[in-house]
Amino acid sequence: MAFSAIRGAVGDWRHFLLILVLGQITSLCLTSTSVLSEKLAANENVSLPNFQSFLVYVLLFIVYMPITLARLGIRKVFLNIKKRFYWYIFLAAVDVEGNYFVIKAYEYTSLLACMLLDTWTLPCVVVLSYFLLKARYWWLQILGVLMCLGGMGLLIKGDVDAGKNYEAVNAVKGDIFMLIGATCYALSNTTEEFIVRHRPQYETVAWLGFFGTIINGVQMGIIEHKKISQLVWTKEVVGYTLGFDLVMFVLYTIVPFLFRLSSATFYNLSILTSDFYGLIFAKYMFHQKITAIYAGAFVLIVAGLIVYYVKPHPPPEHMARVPGFRTYVPGDIIQPGAPEQEEEDGAKDCSGASSASQSQMDEALSEYGSIKVATTDHHADEEQAKNQVGASTSAY
């Protein structure tokens, strides 16, 4: 018993270190995209949110759609998208608009307002996860969230004291843009976590890339076509844009994996450190000083993540039964639409498979290795899923 407890504790902390590292990699990615966007705007006078993001969605589609077709087969992919296409369109739409409005907000409102309003994403994710994912939070998790927000407050104070704030050009317009963007991010994060708990992550990212390319491309053609036609293609513009797109590609690849291992809430807590990493970039690129308040803010945010993880809420097993996900589709990870008795049996199996953090890690990593692609027909897939709901739980 004692040995099992020790092994379980070690496994839990291995799991925490993995999601902590992944969360900080995504935070660094966000910092890198901000720096590259600032370089484009300040040095090259280029501020084209849709243009910058267009190649990201194209890359996601051309990389992950062939993987999806190879691993799941055309029939499974077609049956899924036929029934749930509107979910993927919604995911792509809120993701595209979130990117657009947040970048535009920095042009109109002050830096302080942007940093404050950007944290609106976190409470939105918590509330949406409560209803859509049926997440239930312990008091320690609420304390962890408050600690992370306190660290964010220290970062904001440090920026204000350092005189980094700038005057708003149109505060009301900019504040509204930031609130819209932050809300879109919350909807995007929660929806993506909901989908990847039902379907493989590579498939979700592939359809995000497909519909994101269409929505972003149409919006780019309508809003930015004149500026693009007048754009001077210097090597700096090309380099910064390609760098932005490659970093975003890495971000979009890691985030669904992090959602499966932890949650959208943990992800949004993790990326609060991005402003601290921005200071490190500023120190070596612009020779700015890092004061003690920034270091304290970073420590407080990481401490908040640890407190949040001390007693994490279990992976959701009984998520909201929404249109499109009420019945089983071949290739699903769980079977939300099974009869009551089978659903209870499947929930028990899923709970047993996901209760241990080590099991979660093994499942999540399995999709990077070999994945068996079923070759049986539609009826055989459904029969197999009904009999082996728990066993069919593969992760990304």
Side-chain angles (χ1 to χ4, degrees):
M1 293 292 292
F3 177 75
S4 298
I6 293 172
R7 189 172 66 174
V10 172
D12 287 345
W13 282 106
R14 282 180 58 199
H15 179 264
F16 173 70
L17 289 175
L18 175 60
I19 61 177
L20 179 64
V21 170
L22 289 176
Q24 294 314 297
I25 291 174
T26 60
S27 185
L28 277 168
C29 286
L30 286 174
T31 302
S32 300
T33 58
S34 297
V35 171
L36 291 167
S37 294
E38 289 177 8
K39 285 283 188 180
L40 279 170
N43 298 352
E44 308 301 326
N45 197 28
V46 175
S47 180
L48 301 170
N50 292 124
F51 168 73
Q52 288 176 225
S53 302
F54 180 72
L55 184 58
V56 179
Y57 295 110
V58 174
L59 284 173
L60 291 174
F61 174 68
I62 64 176
V63 170
Y64 288 109
M65 186 56 73
I67 296 174
T68 299
L69 294 173
R71 292 185 171 183
L72 293 180
I74 295 176
R75 183 176 58 81
K76 288 184 179 180
V77 175
F78 174 75
L79 289 172
N80 177 54
I81 198 62
K82 178 183 177 182
K83 189 170 186 176
R84 300 162 176 167
F85 66 91
Y86 49 89
W87 278 98
Y88 293 99
I89 293 175
F90 175 77
L91 172 63
V94 292
D95 192 75
V96 169
E97 300 311 324
N99 290 333
Y100 177 80
F101 280 107
V102 167
I103 293 176
K104 295 298 289 185
Y106 280 92
E107 297 181 20
Y108 295 102
T109 194
S110 64
L111 176 63
L112 176 60
C114 285
M115 295 178 71
L116 287 171
L117 295 175
D118 193 35
T119 59
W120 171 247
T121 300
L122 184 55
C124 287
V125 166
V126 171
V127 173
L128 289 170
S129 296
Y130 182 87
F131 289 103
L132 185 61
L133 298 165
K134 303 297 183 182
R136 297 298 180 262
Y137 299 94
W138 304 96
W139 69 268
L140 272 176
Q141 292 178 295
I142 301 300
L143 176 61
V145 170
L146 293 175
M147 289 175 66
C148 290
L149 289 175
M152 184 65 187
L154 289 178
L155 285 173
I156 294 172
K157 185 179 186 306
D159 282 347
V160 173
D161 292 344
K164 295 181 180 180
N165 195 28
Y166 50 80
E167 294 297 324
V169 176
N170 188 333
V172 175
K173 185 176 182 179
D175 291 351
I176 292 174
F177 277 7
M178 182 56 75
L179 284 174
I180 293 174
T183 304
C184 285
Y185 277 154
L187 289 168
S188 173
N189 292 165
T190 312
T191 302
E192 187 170 1
E193 182 185 351
F194 181 81
I195 295 175
V196 300
R197 291 191 181 277
H198 289 82
R199 302 290 297 184
Q201 279 95 320
Y202 51 80
E203 182 189 39
T204 305
V205 174
W207 286 119
L208 172 60
F210 176 75
F211 290 111
T213 298
I214 296 172
I215 296 171
N216 190 84
V218 171
Q219 188 165 303
M220 179 178 65
I222 295 173
I223 300 175
E224 300 175 352
H225 68 280
K226 289 185 178 179
K227 290 184 178 180
I228 293 174
S229 64
Q230 299 170 356
L231 187 62
V232 179
W233 293 92
T234 64
K235 62 180 181 180
E236 288 79 12
V237 170
V238 174
Y240 292 148
T241 303
L242 288 177
F244 176 90
D245 291 327
L246 290 174
V247 173
M248 286 293 286
F249 177 81
V250 173
L251 176 69
Y252 277 97
T253 298
I254 295 176
V255 165
F257 183 54
L258 185 58
F259 286 165
R260 178 68 66 79
L261 284 172
S262 56
S263 64
T265 302
F266 187 89
Y267 162 71
N268 279 276
L269 292 173
S270 298
I271 61 177
L272 292 177
T273 58
S274 60
D275 290 320
F276 176 78
Y277 294 127
L279 293 170
I280 296 177
F281 276 91
K283 174 179 174 62
Y284 290 101
M285 295 176 65
F286 308 110
H287 307 292
Q288 296 182 7
K289 293 183 178 180
I290 299 179
T291 60
I293 193 171
Y294 291 118
F298 180 81
V299 171
L300 185 57
I301 292 173
V302 173
L305 290 173
I306 295 174
V307 171
Y308 181 87
Y309 184 79
V310 166
K311 193 174 183 180
H313 61 76
E317 297 165 5
H318 302 284
M319 293 176 280
R321 296 179 64 181
V322 297
F325 288 93
R326 290 173 180 166
T327 56
Y328 173 79
V329 172
D332 278 3
I333 295 169
I334 61 174
Q335 186 177 359
E340 184 175 355
Q341 182 61 44
E342 292 179 2
E343 183 175 325
E344 290 177 358
D345 294 340
K348 290 178 183 177
D349 292 339
C350 291
S351 177
S354 61
S355 60
S357 297
Q358 182 62 43
S359 176
Q360 262 192 313
M361 290 171 62
D362 293 340
E363 289 176 357
L365 288 168
S366 67
E367 288 190 9
Y368 284 104
S370 58
I371 292 184
K372 296 180 180 179
V373 180
T375 57
T376 55
D377 61 12
H378 175 57
H379 298 290
D381 282 330
E382 290 189 340
E383 187 63 28
Q384 182 183 7
K386 289 178 181 178
N387 295 329
Q388 297 180 344
V389 177
S392 66
T393 319
S394 62
Y396 185 62

